[in-house]
Amino acid sequence: MSARIPDKATVDGLEDRWNSVWEEQGTYRFDETAEREQVFSIDTPPPTVSGSLHVGHVFSYTHTDVVARYQRMSGREVFYPMGWDDNGLPTERRVQNYYGVRCDPTLPYVEGYEPPFEGGEGKSVKAADQQPISRRNFIELCERLTAEDEKQFETLWRHLGLSVDWSRTYQTISPSSQAVAQQAFLRGLARGECYQAEAPTLWDVTFRTAVAQAELEDRDRPGAYHRLAFEKAADAEEATGSYESVWIETTRPELLAACVALVAHPDDERYQPLFGKHVRTPLFGVEVPVLAHRLASPDKGSGIAMICTFGDVTDVIWWRELGLPMRSILGRDGRVLTDPPAGLESEAARAAYDEIAGLTVFSAQQRMVEMLREADLMDGDPKPTQHPVKFFEKGDKPLEIVTSRQWYIANGGRDDALRGELLARGEELDFLPSHMGKRYENWVNGLTGDWLISRQRFFGVPIPVWYPLDADGEPVWDSPIAPSEDTLPVDPSVDVAPGYTADQRDVPGGFTGEMDIMDTWATSSLTPQIVCGWRDNPSLFERTFPMDLRPQGQDIIRTWLFSTVVRSHQEHGVLPWNHASISGWILDPDRKKMSKSKGNVVTPMGLLEQHGSDAVRYWAASARLGTDAAFDEGQMKIGRRLANKVLNAAKFALGATGISTSANVSLDEGVRAAAHVTGGVLDGAALDNVRELVTEPLDRALLAGLAEVVDGATAALSAYDHTRALELAETYFWTFCDDYVELVKARAYDGAAPGEDIDPFADCTPVAASARATLTIALETFLRLFAPVLPFATEEVWSWFRPGTVHRAPWPTSGTLRVLAGTEDVALVDAAGEALAALRKLKSEAKVSQRTEIVSVDLLVPEAKMAGVAAAKADLMAAGRVRSLQIVSAAAALSPDVDGNGPEDGSREDIADPTVMRTENATLEV
C-alpha cells in the first residue's frame, strides 16, 4: 500500500512514470504456458515504417488496446505483439529521399559506404542527382533508417499506453519473417497455388515495378477524346455495300500501333453487319477484325472502341477472352519501344512507327495527333474530358500495362471454385461491424485475376528460386530450383542454387538467381504465422492460432485482410482469426479522410504531450468501430477533465475514508473486504460483514446503479462496443461525483480531521462506515471500468491504496454489488441529486454562497420521488447546510384547501408542474 497521494493530483507526467514500472514489472508480458482456452490473441497491424505515424493510427490502435486491456482483466492471457512493416516501396522511396541515393543492381558493393546526404527528407536532392549505389549498399541503408524509425514508433506507442508485450516485436524483413514468407511460398509452389506466367501486367513506370490489383486506385485525370477514322477492308465493304469509314473515339491515340481489333456490343445494330469483318488502322494500315463483346458500351462515344495491347484493364479482358494477338509497344520505362511489334511490316507502318519510337507516352500522343491531322484522319479537335485513370496507390504517374514474366498466388480471381471457398470464409468471419463483411464480398466478386506478388524492387523478401540455364545461357523458366525449408531464408541473388557451385552462376549450363522480391503484402499476409511461431515454435502456435482478433482499417480489407484469409485457407484450411474489428477513418475539419498523401494529417506526439495520453485515448474510444470520426481536440479536453476528475474524486474518497493515511488498514481481511469486493464474489462471513457495513438507503441505491453499469459495460465490451461501455461508466461516474459524493461528504468525514490515523470502518459511526465502504467500493469499481481507456490515471490512483496493478486486477462483476444493494431502488440517487440541485438553485437565485446556511425550507417533491428524498434527508440537510427541511408532495401543494378554494393567498399559482422539484418558504442565514 502506498501513502503517496500528491498534494495536487495531475495527469501530467504519468506516462513516463508508469511505462517504466510496467516494463520493469512485466505487467503485459504474455505467459507462454497458458492453455489455448485461456489465451486471447491479437493480430496487431504492423505499421509501415516509412516516416511518421499520424493521429489516425492513434485512433485505431487505441480501439485495439481497449479490447486487450478488457480481455486481460477478464481473466484471459492476452497475446499482444507489435510488428513493423519495414519492406516495400514506401521504405525505398524514403531512403532515396533521406540519403540522396538510388539503387543500381549492376554496381559492386562498397564496404563502409556513407551516403552523400542525411537528414530531413532530402527533398533538395533531385532524382537525377541521387547517387547510384549497389543493391546491397541500398538495402543496408534501408535497414539503417527503418531501425531508427522503429525506435520512434515504439516510443510513441508506449507513450500512448499500448499494453503490448514489447518482448515480442517483429519485423517483416527480419530473417525469421523472411523464412516464414519463403516457406509459405515454397509450399504454395508445391501445391500449384504459386506460379509464374508471362502476361499483361499493371506497371508503375516511376518505380519500374509490377503492381497488384489490390494496390490500385482510380484518380480523375484530364484527357481528351480523339475521333479517328478506320477505313474498311475489302471484306467489310462487301458486308455493307458502303465505303464509309468507321469512326471511333479514344483518349489514347498514341496506342494506334498496338491496336489489334475494334469491338462493339453484340446487340448494337449499327455494327452487327461488320462483326467478323476487318478494318484498317489509321496511318499504319494494319487490318484488324471488328468483334462483339458484352463489355462494349453502345452509349459511350461512337459505340465502338479499339482494343490495344494494352491501354487499360478492359483491353486485357477483351484480349484474353477474344483470343487476340499481342502487339505491345510500351516498355518498362514508359516509353514507346524502339522496334515495332509484329504486324507492322509495311513501309508506311514502319515510317509512322519511327515517328513515335523512343518517346514518352505524352510526347507520343502529341506526335500521333499531329500526324493524324496531317493525314486528315481525325475529325475536329480533341474534346476535353475528365476520366478515372488507374494509379499505383503510392505512385505519381498513371499506370501502364506491359507484358512481363511475374509470380502469382491463386486467389479466386481465375478459379470459380476457389472464389466460392473464399466467399464462404468471409461469411464465416465475424466482422465488427457486420456490414464491413460486404466490402470483403464485393472485393472477392470483383477480382479479375490472381494475386501478382513479384516486384522488381530491392528491399523485400527474395523469391526463393533459381533457374537452370540452357546451353545458350537462357533461363528455363518453367523448371525453377527450390531450396529445402531448413536452409531458409535464402537470397538467390547471392546464395548458390542447390547442386551448383558459385562459378556456375550466369554461365551456359549453370544457373541464375531470381532477382524479384515479394510484394510487401505477401509477407504481411502471414503475420499470424510469423507472430504465432508457425515455423519455429509449434507450442506457441498451438496456443495462439487461429487468433481471436484482427483489428484493422477498412481501406485494407481488400489487401491485408483478404490476403491473410487466402494464405491461411491455403496453408491451414481455417480462418486466421475469429473476429475482424474494422475502425473508421479520421476526418479533417473539411470532413475529408486524413492521409499522408493528402497532406492533412496531424502527428500525434504533440497532442499526447499537450492533452495527456488518457485524454487522447478518451477521444479515440468515443468513436465506435466502423464509424468515421472528426479530429476533435475539444473531445480530448473533455477526456483530460475526466482523467483529472478520477484523480481528484479518489483523493476525496480516500481522504474521507482515512484509507490514504491509516497504518491500521488491511483491505484484504474480514470486514475491510468492502474495498475489494467488486472483482469477484464474496461469500460466507466476509460477505456478511460487508453487508453489515453498507446500511444506508442512499449508499445501497448507488451500488444498485453501479451494478447495472457494470453489467452494461461488460456486455458492451464483450460485443466490442467500447464506446457504449465508456458512455455508461462516464455518465454514472459524474452522477457519483456531482450528486452522491456531495451528499455523503459530511457523513463520510464524521468529524474526523483529514490525515488522522484511524481505522476507517471501525473508528466512526455506523452511518459513516456505510458511506466510507460505499465510497471505496465505488472508487475501485470505477477505476476498473475506466482502466482500459484511461490506463495512466487509473493506475496512479490504484497505487495510492492498492498493491499490484489495476491492469491485472479482475474485471468488476455485479453479483456482490447487487447483494450489498439489496432491494434498494436505483432511482433514489437521482431523486436525492435532484433535491440537492434544487437547494443549490435556491442559493444561486438568492446570489449567496453555497456555504450559506438555510434556516428552514419547504422542498416540493414529485410524489414518485418522495420516498427517495425522505430516505436521503439527513444527507440532503448536511450537504445543503439546511437546519430545518420540510419535504412536501408537489401534487399536494397544488391541491385545494379544506374549503375547496385553493391557496388562500395565491402564492402557489405559479407552480404549474407537480413533476418538477421546487423550494418554498425558505429562510437563509446571511
Side-chain angles (χ1 to χ4, degrees):
M1 185 181 303
S2 170
R4 182 188 50 78
I5 300 181
D7 293 333
K8 183 178 180 181
T10 176
V11 298
D12 294 332
L14 295 182
E15 293 87 354
D16 290 340
R17 178 192 305 165
W18 288 111
N19 271 318
S20 61
V21 172
W22 294 335
E23 179 63 26
E24 179 184 346
Q25 297 181 352
T27 302
Y28 308 122
R29 201 70 52 84
F30 175 69
D31 180 4
E32 199 166 318
T33 66
E35 295 301 322
R36 181 63 185 94
E37 57 270 17
Q38 295 177 265
V39 173
F40 187 89
S41 55
I42 303 173
D43 186 15
T44 317
T48 302
V49 185
S50 60
S52 61
L53 296 167
H54 62 77
V55 74
H57 292 100
V58 167
F59 178 73
S60 57
Y61 280 74
T62 295
H63 294 170
T64 306
D65 191 60
V66 170
V67 174
R69 290 180 178 277
Y70 165 70
Q71 291 290 342
R72 191 178 291 113
M73 295 177 72
S74 296
R76 306 290 292 276
E77 191 61 35
V78 176
F79 182 67
Y80 187 17
M82 177 63 71
W84 313 117
D85 190 3
D86 39 18
N87 63 18
L89 283 169
T91 299
E92 289 192 22
R93 181 163 56 178
R94 175 161 158 74
V95 166
Q96 289 175 194
N97 290 332
Y98 193 87
Y99 292 117
V101 298
R102 60 181 173 84
C103 182
D104 183 345
T106 65
L107 295 178
Y109 175 71
V110 176
E111 192 77 38
Y113 173 80
E114 286 298 324
F117 185 91
E118 182 169 355
E121 290 300 317
K123 294 186 181 300
S124 61
V125 182
K126 296 179 180 179
D129 298 329
Q130 291 172 348
Q131 188 176 94
I133 59 175
S134 73
R135 179 174 184 165
R136 183 176 165 191
N137 287 128
F138 186 77
I139 290 174
E140 286 179 352
L141 290 179
C142 290
E143 293 170 341
R144 180 163 131 189
L145 189 56
T146 54
E148 291 301 314
D149 286 342
E150 287 163 11
K151 292 177 184 177
Q152 296 180 27
F153 279 32
E154 181 175 333
T155 297
L156 188 142
W157 284 145
R158 286 179 180 269
H159 198 86
L160 180 63
L162 296 191
S163 58
V164 163
D165 182 350
W166 290 106
S167 68
R168 295 181 179 275
T169 57
Y170 68 92
Q171 301 169 303
T172 57
I173 198 62
S174 70
S176 59
S177 294
Q178 290 193 42
V180 168
Q182 290 183 339
Q183 179 170 297
F185 173 88
L186 292 174
R187 293 191 178 185
L189 180 66
R191 293 190 297 262
E193 297 154 357
C194 298
Y195 65 93
Q196 60 178 327
E198 185 90 13
T201 305
L202 287 160
W203 189 267
D204 188 289
V205 299
T206 302
F207 295 110
R208 306 284 179 89
T209 185
V211 176
Q213 182 181 353
E215 299 170 302
L216 305 182
E217 64 181 33
D218 285 332
R219 301 178 195 171
D220 283 338
R221 298 275 291 186
Y225 280 111
H226 305 76
R227 184 174 168 84
L228 311 181
F230 281 67
E231 297 297 329
K232 296 177 184 177
D235 60 350
E237 292 171 0
E238 294 171 0
T240 61
S242 168
Y243 293 92
E244 294 178 359
S245 300
V246 177
W247 292 90
I248 65 101
E249 294 184 13
T250 179
T251 60
R252 305 212 56 181
E254 71 275 15
L255 295 181
L256 268 174
C259 180
V260 292
L262 297 188
V263 63
H265 195 276
D267 297 334
D268 195 329
E269 296 179 355
R270 294 171 295 176
Y271 303 108
Q272 284 177 343
L274 289 177
F275 291 155
K277 305 302 180 181
H278 292 75
V279 293
R280 294 193 300 275
T281 59
L283 294 177
F284 299 95
V286 176
E287 290 195 1
V288 297
V290 180
L291 304 172
H293 195 278
R294 67 189 184 285
L295 293 183
S297 175
D299 301 326
K300 186 175 181 180
S302 59
I304 190 168
M306 65 175 184
I307 303 174
C308 300
T309 54
F310 295 93
D312 58 26
V313 292
T314 308
D315 279 343
V316 176
I317 296 172
W318 283 330
W319 167 80
R320 182 178 291 129
E321 294 188 2
L322 296 174
L324 298 171
M326 180 78 70
R327 195 167 288 154
S328 299
I329 68 167
L330 293 181
R332 296 187 177 192
D333 58 358
R335 293 178 178 270
V336 178
L337 296 171
T338 303
D339 297 326
L344 274 65
E345 285 80 15
S346 71
E347 185 176 338
R350 288 184 172 275
Y353 189 87
D354 288 343
E355 293 290 321
I356 60 172
L359 298 180
T360 64
V361 169
F362 177 79
S363 298
Q365 183 177 112
Q366 286 184 315
R367 181 62 187 127
M368 185 63 66
V369 170
E370 290 172 356
M371 290 192 292
L372 288 166
R373 278 178 171 154
E374 292 167 1
D376 198 24
L377 294 171
M378 189 169 76
D379 182 22
D381 294 326
K383 298 177 181 178
T385 185
Q386 286 281 124
H387 62 134
V389 177
K390 299 293 182 188
F391 278 76
F392 173 39
E393 59 187 358
K394 303 183 187 304
D396 300 318
K397 292 183 179 180
L399 293 173
E400 298 296 348
I401 299 177
V402 301
T403 303
S404 59
R405 181 189 60 84
Q406 302 290 343
W407 281 97
Y408 297 84
I409 294 179
N411 68 351
R414 302 179 67 180
D415 181 339
D416 288 341
L418 178 57
R419 188 195 302 266
E421 293 170 5
L422 294 172
L423 287 170
R425 289 293 182 204
E427 294 175 357
E428 181 185 348
L429 180 61
D430 179 25
F431 280 92
L432 305 161
S434 59
H435 70 263
M436 288 295 175
K438 193 66 177 178
R439 299 193 180 197
Y440 174 95
E441 179 186 338
N442 291 341
W443 174 252
V444 178
N445 282 324
L447 289 169
T448 58
D450 283 336
W451 176 14
L452 190 157
I453 65 161
S454 50
R455 295 293 181 270
Q456 292 66 50
R457 297 301 301 177
F458 317 109
F459 189 51
V461 178
I463 294 176
V465 294
W466 299 261
Y467 305 97
L469 299 178
D470 62 18
D472 297 323
E474 294 297 320
V476 184
W477 300 117
D478 58 358
S479 299
I481 304 167
S484 61
E485 290 186 2
D486 60 353
T487 64
L488 302 178
V490 298
D491 183 351
S493 69
V494 176
D495 298 324
V496 176
Y500 293 85
T501 58
D503 58 2
Q504 291 179 284
R505 182 183 294 274
D506 296 329
V507 297
F511 74 96
T512 189
E514 174 64 75
M515 296 300 291
D516 288 355
I517 62 172
M518 296 186 200
D519 163 30
T520 186
W521 293 112
T523 306
S524 297
S525 63
L526 296 165
T527 51
Q529 289 82 353
I530 291 171
V531 300
C532 294
W534 170 54
R535 176 177 160 82
D536 53 15
N537 194 338
S539 175
L540 177 64
F541 190 70
E542 182 181 350
R543 285 170 165 79
T544 56
F545 183 90
M547 305 185 82
D548 292 275
L549 179 66
R550 154 63 69 83
Q552 64 164 73
Q554 56 190 295
D555 51 334
I556 52 174
I557 290 175
R558 64 179 185 170
T559 48
W560 192 37
L561 188 147
F562 173 66
S563 62
T564 311
V565 170
V566 170
R567 305 304 290 279
S568 182
H569 174 75
Q570 292 174 337
E571 185 63 42
H572 309 289
V574 297
L575 278 172
W577 354 261
N578 300 319
H579 312 279
S581 62
I582 312 298
S583 292
W585 286 326
I586 296 301
L587 308 179
D588 67 12
D590 296 326
R591 306 297 296 175
K592 295 179 181 177
K593 175 194 171 186
M594 280 192 177
S595 67
K596 291 181 181 179
S597 62
K598 291 184 172 66
N600 61 348
V601 299
V602 175
T603 53
M605 187 56 85
L607 293 171
L608 297 174
E609 292 172 343
Q610 177 185 356
H611 299 289
S613 296
D614 281 349
V616 177
R617 290 171 63 98
Y618 171 88
W619 159 73
S622 298
R624 285 183 168 80
L625 288 175
T627 302
D628 297 342
F631 172 70
D632 186 359
E633 288 193 67
Q635 192 77 354
M636 297 176 196
K637 292 176 182 177
I638 294 173
R640 184 179 177 88
R641 176 173 172 252
L642 175 62
N644 274 320
K645 191 65 176 179
V646 168
L647 299 179
N648 290 319
K651 279 194 66 177
F652 161 74
L654 297 177
T657 59
I659 290 176
S660 62
T661 57
S662 177
N664 299 323
V665 177
S666 175
L667 294 177
D668 294 321
E669 298 177 6
V671 74
R672 298 163 189 89
H676 199 54
V677 300
T678 58
V681 178
L682 284 181
D683 53 22
L687 181 57
D688 290 338
N689 288 333
V690 174
R691 188 188 292 117
E692 290 177 7
L693 270 183
V694 183
T695 57
E696 295 303 294
L698 181 61
D699 303 335
R700 290 182 170 181
L702 181 88
L703 296 181
L706 195 54
E708 292 184 0
V709 170
V710 167
D711 283 344
T714 303
L717 283 170
S718 297
Y720 297 89
D721 189 353
H722 52 260
T723 305
R724 178 59 179 161
L726 177 59
E727 286 173 351
L728 289 169
E730 182 184 11
T731 300
Y732 203 63
F733 178 70
W734 286 112
T735 296
F736 169 74
C737 294
D738 294 343
D739 295 338
Y740 177 79
V741 167
E742 293 302 316
L743 284 163
V744 303
K745 187 178 292 185
R747 174 156 57 96
Y749 275 124
D750 195 35
E756 186 178 340
D757 187 9
I758 61 172
D759 185 321
F761 303 119
D763 297 340
C764 61
T765 62
V767 293
S770 179
R772 292 176 180 182
T774 303
L775 283 169
T776 311
I777 293 169
L779 173 62
E780 185 172 306
T781 305
F782 279 120
L783 290 178
R784 299 184 199 210
L785 289 171
F786 284 135
V789 177
L790 310 176
F792 295 104
T794 53
E795 187 76 308
E796 173 71 6
V797 171
W798 192 266
S799 74
W800 295 348
F801 73 115
R802 275 269 170 247
T805 171
V806 68
H807 302 300
R808 286 284 183 175
W811 182 254
T813 57
S814 65
T816 304
L817 291 172
R818 294 191 184 280
V819 171
L820 297 177
T823 59
E824 204 62 64
D825 188 356
V826 176
L828 193 159
V829 177
D830 288 335
E834 188 178 343
L836 180 59
L839 296 176
R840 287 171 171 169
K841 182 180 180 183
L842 170 65
K843 297 180 184 181
S844 296
E845 291 177 344
K847 297 182 179 179
V848 296
S849 166
Q850 290 295 326
R851 299 183 65 82
T852 301
E853 288 196 350
I854 301 174
V855 177
S856 65
V857 64
D858 292 345
L859 184 63
L860 277 62
V861 179
E863 190 66 36
K865 299 180 181 180
M866 285 284 289
V869 174
K873 181 176 180 179
D875 289 330
L876 268 173
M877 293 178 68
R881 293 177 175 264
V882 181
R883 295 180 193 171
S884 175
L885 176 65
Q886 184 72 23
I887 300 173
V888 181
S889 167
L894 288 174
S895 63
D897 58 25
V898 293
D899 298 323
N901 297 319
E904 294 181 2
D905 58 2
S907 61
R908 297 179 182 175
E909 292 177 357
D910 62 318
I911 303 177
D913 188 352
T915 65
V916 176
M917 213 169 287
R918 304 283 295 272
T919 56
E920 258 193 2
N921 301 326
T923 302
L924 285 77
E925 186 175 88
V926 180

